[in-house]
Amino acid sequence: MATFADIGLAAGVNIITALVFLIAFGILRLQPFNDRVYFPKWYLKGLRSSPTQSGAFVSKFVNLDWRSYIRFLNWVPDALKMPEPELIDHAGLDSAVYLRIYLLGLKIFVPVSLLAWAVLVPVNWTNDTLAKSQATDNLQYSDIDKLSISNIPHGSQRFWTHIVMAYAFTFWTCYTLRKEYEKVATMRLHFLASERRRPDQFTVLVKNVPPDTDESVSECVEHFFLVNHPDHYLTHQVVINANKLAKLVKEKKSKENWLDYYQIKFSRNQSKRPMTKTGFLGLCGDKVDAINYQTAEIERLSQEIAEERERVKTDPKCIMPAAFVSFKTRWGAAVCAQTQQSRNPTLWLTEWASEPRDVYWDNLAIPYVSLTVRRLIVAVAFFFLTFFFMIPVASVQSFANIEGIERRAPFLRPIIEVPFIKSFIQGVLPGIALKIFLIVLPTILMIMSKFEGFLSISSLERRSALRYYIFNFFNVFLVTVIAGTAMKQLDTFLHESPAEIPKIIGVAIPMNATFFITYVMVDGWAGIAGEILRLKPLIFYHLKNFFLVKTEKDREAAMDPGSIGFNTGEPQIQLYFLLGLVFAVVTPVFLPFILVFFALAYLVFRHQIINVYNQEYESAGAFWPDVHGRIVIALVFSQLVLMGLMTTKGAAASTPFLIVLPVLTIFFHRYCKGRYEPAFVKYPLQEAMMKDTLERAREPNLNLKGYLQNAYIHPVFKNEDDDEDEHYNAKLDESVMVPTKRQSRRNTPVPSKISGGSSPSLPDVVHENSQF
Amino acid sequence: MATFADIGLAAGVNIITALVFLIAFGILRLQPFNDRVYFPKWYLKGLRSSPTQSGAFVSKFVNLDWRSYIRFLNWVPDALKMPEPELIDHAGLDSAVYLRIYLLGLKIFVPVSLLAWAVLVPVNWTNDTLAKSQATDNLQYSDIDKLSISNIPHGSQRFWTHIVMAYAFTFWTCYTLRKEYEKVATMRLHFLASERRRPDQFTVLVKNVPPDTDESVSECVEHFFLVNHPDHYLTHQVVINANKLAKLVKEKKSKENWLDYYQIKFSRNQSKRPMTKTGFLGLCGDKVDAINYQTAEIERLSQEIAEERERVKTDPKCIMPAAFVSFKTRWGAAVCAQTQQSRNPTLWLTEWASEPRDVYWDNLAIPYVSLTVRRLIVAVAFFFLTFFFMIPVASVQSFANIEGIERRAPFLRPIIEVPFIKSFIQGVLPGIALKIFLIVLPTILMIMSKFEGFLSISSLERRSALRYYIFNFFNVFLVTVIAGTAMKQLDTFLHESPAEIPKIIGVAIPMNATFFITYVMVDGWAGIAGEILRLKPLIFYHLKNFFLVKTEKDREAAMDPGSIGFNTGEPQIQLYFLLGLVFAVVTPVFLPFILVFFALAYLVFRHQIINVYNQEYESAGAFWPDVHGRIVIALVFSQLVLMGLMTTKGAAASTPFLIVLPVLTIFFHRYCKGRYEPAFVKYPLQEAMMKDTLERAREPNLNLKGYLQNAYIHPVFKNEDDDEDEHYNAKLDESVMVPTKRQSRRNTPVPSKISGGSSPSLPDVVHENSQF
C-alpha cells in the first residue's frame, strides 16, 4: 500500500508532466507558424487570416515579441471568458452541452468532497483498527488507508455514518442530475426553437419503400404521400447509392495530392524529374515519370467519374428504396415522423431526417430483416470482443517473446542476444501488442456501429460511446479491481452468486484506491494537458505544409481541426464518474484527484472548443440521455458495491437501508426518462405549429420548395457543383472578398472542406513553404 | 415415484370426475328452467326467448322429451360448427383470439408430441441406467422414469438426440408463434378496418391539461386544439369526477333490490308485513316495516342523487384536467394520439381513447408524478406479495391450529375435543387459510392494477394477468420444482451462482413429472369440465330468480353470463405452455396430458363463448403481444433448464450448442416485436386515411359532431337517460317488438344491462316464480 509520500511523488511527476505540456503549449501557440494548428476554428469561420501576410520575415515564423511571453497563460481566462450563449452560437449546442458534462462532474463532486472530508475522513481517521492489526498480524498499512473505510473496526456503529453519507451523496447526485437534465432539455428546445430555418425541420427520412412493378421508387413515394398526407406533402428526394462514385472521387483527390507533391518536388529541384513506380504503393512495377503518370491517372479517373455519375443517375439498381420527404410545414413533418404510415410496420418507416451533414449515406437502404440479423451479429461480436479480446492479444504476445522469435527466426539470434535489444523486446513488445489493440479499438467499435446500420454520424458515435464504456467498465475498471482478465470475470459472474459479486468487488475497492489515484493522474491530468498540446496535428500540419500545400485552400485542408470525439471522450468521463461515486464513501481521499481532472478538463476542452475543434454535425445535445443514464448506472453500481462491502464488514444490519437506495435511484431514473427524454426524441406539435405560424407571418411568399429541393443530395453530387463553382471561381477575376466567402461557409461541415475558392496569395505561400 | 398404474388410477378418477361434470351439464342444459344459465348470450342478443312462454306447464321446467337426451352430447359439434368469421361477429374479436391461444397450444404440441414419442421415447427406453442403479443403489424407479431422460447413462452420446430435438422443438415453436402472430395481427387490422364507425376511432384521451387561472379546463382544451390541430379538431368532452354519484346510484339500486324482495315476500304471505332492522346489515337497530323503510330510503337517495348530479355538473372541483377530444377524421385522431403535443412531455398527454364501455373512469386524472410513485409502490408491494405472502398465511395457520384455539378460547375446548371436529380442524383449517388467500389473489392483483392508474378495463386485466403469471411461476411452478417457499427461492437465487440455478431446476424437473401430470389432470381436466357446468351461476340464478325477480328485466339482470376472465384464464394457459415446453425434451410422457387439456379447454371455452359469456369490452385482441411474449419466455426458460440438466448429466460439451438457442430465441422475439407489435399499439395513417375517404364518399353529409357529442359521457349520466327511457317505455303501450328492441342492444355491455324496457309477460313470470 502506497504511503502519502509515494502518492506525493507520483503526483509531483504527473503535475510536472502536465505543466511541461501546458508551458510548451503556451509557447508554441504564440508562434505564428503554428497559428493554424492552435486556432483553426477561427480560420474556418473566416475571422482570422494568416499572420504570414504582414510584418517582417522572421516574425512570420517566430514570435519575437517578449511581452506576449509574459502573458503566455492568458489562454486560461480567455477560455473561460466567453459566455455560454455566445459559445453555443460559436461552436454549436453539442459542444456547449459536452462541456456541461465536465461542469456536472464539478457540481456533483465539489459538495460531495467537502462533505466527505468534513465527516467521513475524521470518522475513519479516529480509529486504530489498522494499527492494531499491524501489531497483531504484522499487516502493512499506509496513511491513505487510515483515511479509508478499512480503518473502521468490524461491526462498528460508525458505519451508520457511511450509510447516512451514501444517502446524502445519492440525493445530491440525483438532485444535480435532475437539474442538469432539465437545463439541457430546455437548452435543446430553446436551441431548436430559435434556430434559423433548416431543411431537417421539414424533412422526414422514409425507409423501406415497398417495391412496385409499375412505378419507380420516386413515383411510388410521391403517390403514397400525396394520398396519405395530402395537405402537407411538398416534395421528396430519392436516395441514390453513390458509394462507388464517392470512392472514385476520393481516389482522384488522392492522386491530385500526389501530383501536387511531385510538382512541388520538381519545382524545388528542376534538374531531375521525379519518378515513381506504378505498382502497389509505388514500391514495385515499372518506373515512370511521376508527374505525367499522375496527370494521366487523374485524366482517366475524371472520365470514369463522369461515366459513373451518368450511370448512377439513370440505373434503377442505384436507386434505393428510401427517400427524404419534405413537407410544407414543420407540423406536417413532425406528424409524419412520429406516426406509423402503413399497415405493415416494416414498410414506409419514417423518422426525422438528420441534418444533411449528419447523414451517414452508406446505410440508407438496409432492409428490416437484415437489420435484425446485423444487430444480432454485432451483439455477439461485441460480447466476444469484450470478454475474449485477450486471446488474440495474448497469442500475439506469446509469439513476440524472445524464445518465440529465436525459434521462428534463428538468424535473428545474434541481434536479439544484444542485452539492450533483448531487454527492449522483453519489456516493450508484449505491451505494444495490447497498446495497438487499444488504439485501434475505437475504430473497431465504430465499424461495428456502421455495420449495425445507423443512419447518422451522431448516432454512430453515440452507439460507439456506449460500447466503449462497457468495454472500459469490464476491461479497465473490473479487471483492476478483481485482478483477472475479463474472461475470468465472466467465469466469476457465472459461478458466483448474485449476493457474492458485490462483496467481491466491494472488498477489493478500498485496496485499489492508490492504483486509481495514479491512473487519474496519468490519464486524467497529464493526458488532458497533452490534449491541448495537439502534438499529432502539429506534426502532421507541418509535414503536409511542407510536402503538399500549394494553395491557401490546400493549407486549409491541411489544418485538421478535429472534433470533440464523443465516442472516446464521453466514456472516459464516465469512467471518472464511476470512480468518483464508487470511492466517495469508501475512500474519500480519492475525490480531490477527480476534482482536479474535472476542472482541468473543463478548462482545456473549453479552450479547444473555442479555438480548435470544428464539429462535423449538430445533434442539439441529443446525447444527454445517454450521459444521464450512465451516471445513474454508476450510482446504482456504487450503491451495490457499498452494500457488498458493508456485509463483509459485519454491518449486515445496514442492508435493508442500503437496498432502498438502488430501488429509489432506478425509479428516479424512470421518472427522469419519462419527464425529459421525449425532449430529445420527439418534436412537440405545439412547438412546430408556433414556428410555422411565425414564419408564415414573417415570410408569406417563401419559396420553400426551392429551398428544400436539393437539400438532401448525396455529398458527391454537391462536390460536383462545388468543383464547378471552383473552376468558375478560378476563371473569374479574384475579386471575391475573403470574409464574405467564409461567412457563407459558417455552416459548412468538415467533410466538404475541400470546397471553396482558391486563395489570392498562392505564389507567396509556395515560396514560404520552401524555406523550411 | 409413481408407476403407470398410479398414474392410470389418477387419470381414471379425473376422467370420471370430468365425465360426471360433462354429463351433468349435458342433462342440466336441456332443462328449460336452466336455459338462461346455459344460453345467456343468446338472450342478451335477443335471439332466444324464454321457453316458458309456450307449451305444457311441467315442460316449462323439466324437459320430458326423451329424444333430446339421446342427443345430449350435441353441444360438442355445435360448439365447433360456428366458423371463425361468424364467431367474431357473434362474440367479438377478443373472444375469437382468446380461443386461438388454446388452438396455438394444439398447433405447437401435437407435432412436438408426435416427434417426441417417435424419437425420444425409444431413445430413453432402450437404456438400463435406472435398472442398473436399482441393482447397485437399491434406487426405486417406475416405468414413467424409464421413458424420461433420467434413463440415459451419464455422459452418453445419446444426449445429442435430445439436443437435436431441443432445436427442432424451438424452431417449430418459433415458426408457429410467428405464423400465429401474423395471423392475429391481420385479423386485428381487418377487424379494425371492417368495423362500423365507432366513437373511439375519432377520439383521443388527453390527460394532464395544465391548470390555467383564466380559463376553465374546457376552454383551455378547446383553445389548445384549435391552435395546434386547426384542420382536424371537432369537439371535446371534459372528464367529470362522478365517483360519489356512481356510489349513490349503486346504493339506490341495492335498496331497490331489497324492496323487490320484501314486496315478493309480502305478496306470498299477505298475513304478515315483513320487518327489518335499520342497523348494520339489518342485524341490529330498531325494527321497522321493511317495505315502508326501503321506499323511504329510495326516496331519500333519489333526492341526494339529483342534488349530487347538479353539484357535479357545476362544481369546478369535480372537473378533472382530462378530456376526450374528438376529431373530424380518423387521420386527425391517429396523428394526435401518436405525437407529442407540448414542450413539457408530462402535460397534454395524448393516447387513443378506449371504446366507451372499456374506459375505467376512476383513474382518469392521476397526475404524472403521482403515477411514477404509484408504480414504485405497486412494484414493491407486488415483490413482497410474491415472495413473502407465506408469512401472513403461515401466521394465520399457526393461529388456527388446535393448540392455538384452545389457548385463546378455552371455552371451546369441549367442542374441539370431539374427534371428528378435531380432525377436521387439523386437516382443513390450515389449508383453508391458503385457499382463501389464493381465491382472493386475483382481486388483490386487480386492485393493485387499479391503484397503478391504468385507464381501461382491458389494460387493467392485462396487467393483472402479467402479475398473476409471475406469481404462478414462482409460487406454483418453482415452489413445486425446488420444493421450498418462494422466500427460500429468493434466498437461493441470491446466494447461488447464475450457472448453478439452471442446474438446480434442471435436475429437479424430471423428478416432478408425476406431480405435474396429476396437477394437469385435476386443474386442467376436471377443472375445465367444471367450468362448463357453471355451478355457481346456476345456484345464484335460481336463488335470485326465487327471491328478487319481478320483471323480465330483473330476470335478465339475474343471468350473470360472466366473461372470459382474461386476468385469471390466460396465466393458467401460460402455465401449461411452460410445463409443456419444459417437459417436452425431458419427460415426453407428459405431453399427451397437456394435449388433452388444450383440446378440452378449446372445446369448452368455444361453447361458453358462443352460448354464455358476454364480453364487457372489445380490445380487438390487444393482448396478443403479451401472450406471445410469455410463450417466448417459457421457451427460453425451458432451454436454460435443459442446459443446466445437461451439464449435470456429463454432457457439458453440449453447452455451446444449447446456448445458441436462447440467443436465437430472444432475437426471434425482437424481430417479431418490431414486425408485428406496432399493429397492436399504433394505428397506421394509411388505414385511417382509407376509411376516412371511403366514409366521405359514402356519407358526405354525416353529422359527426352529433354522433360524437355524448359518446364519452360518464356511465352514471348515461343511466340517467336510460332510467328516463325506461319510465317512458313503461308508460307507453307495450307494442314495442321484442326482437327489434334487443337488436338495438347488440352492443350494449354488461354494466349497462339494467337498461331496457319491461317485458310484456310480467304477471306470468311472477306467477311462475311463486310456484317454486
Side-chain angles (χ1 to χ4, degrees), chain B residues 28 38 40 42 130 172 239 311 342 365 368 382 405 408 410 435 452 456-457 598 609 614 618 660 710 715 729 738:
Chain B
L28 285 174
Y38 293 114
W42 298 100
L130 291 172
W172 175 250
V239 173
R311 194 184 69 82
S342 136
Y368 187 80
F382 179 65
I405 294 175
R408 281 182 189 79
K435 193 71 198 166
E452 217 176 340
S456 63
I457 299 168
F598 278 116
I609 282 169
N614 184 35
E618 176 62 59
V660 174
N710 290 315
N729 281 347
V738 176

Side-chain angles (χ1 to χ4, degrees), chain B residues 514-625:
Chain B
T514 354
F515 171 81
F516 280 114
I517 288 175
T518 323
Y519 180 87
V520 169
M521 288 191 293
V522 174
D523 179 77
W525 296 9
I528 292 292
E531 173 70 31
I532 204 172
L533 193 58
R534 286 172 61 74
L535 215 55
K536 200 183 120 197
L538 182 72
I539 295 167
F540 271 74
Y541 170 72
H542 286 302
L543 283 177
K544 279 188 190 167
N545 210 7
F546 187 74
F547 289 116
L548 296 175
V549 168
K550 282 200 306 186
T551 62
E552 190 71 5
K553 178 199 124 199
D554 291 345
R555 180 166 295 158
E556 205 159 275
M559 278 198 315
D560 182 24
S563 57
I564 288 174
F566 181 80
N567 55 332
T568 52
E570 195 264 355
Q572 190 204 23
I573 318 176
Q574 288 293 347
L575 189 65
Y576 287 94
F577 273 110
L578 177 70
L579 290 176
L581 289 170
V582 166
F583 282 110
V585 177
V586 176
T587 314
V589 190
F590 186 78
L591 292 171
F593 295 89
I594 292 260
L595 284 184
V596 172
F597 161 77
F598 278 116
L600 183 66
Y602 177 68
L603 192 66
V604 165
F605 278 97
R606 206 166 207 272
H607 173 267
Q608 299 292 80
I609 282 169
I610 292 174
N611 296 308
V612 183
Y613 298 151
N614 184 35
Q615 274 310 92
E616 294 184 25
Y617 58 83
E618 176 62 59
S619 72
F623 54 79
W624 193 264

Side-chain angles (χ1 to χ4, degrees), chain B residues 303-323:
Chain B
Q303 201 166 348
E304 266 184 46
I305 287 170
E307 279 166 20
E308 176 70 16
R309 199 162 262 164
E310 278 317 299
R311 194 184 69 82
V312 157
K313 279 179 185 163
T314 50
D315 189 353
K317 270 186 200 159
C318 288
I319 292 173
M320 291 180 163

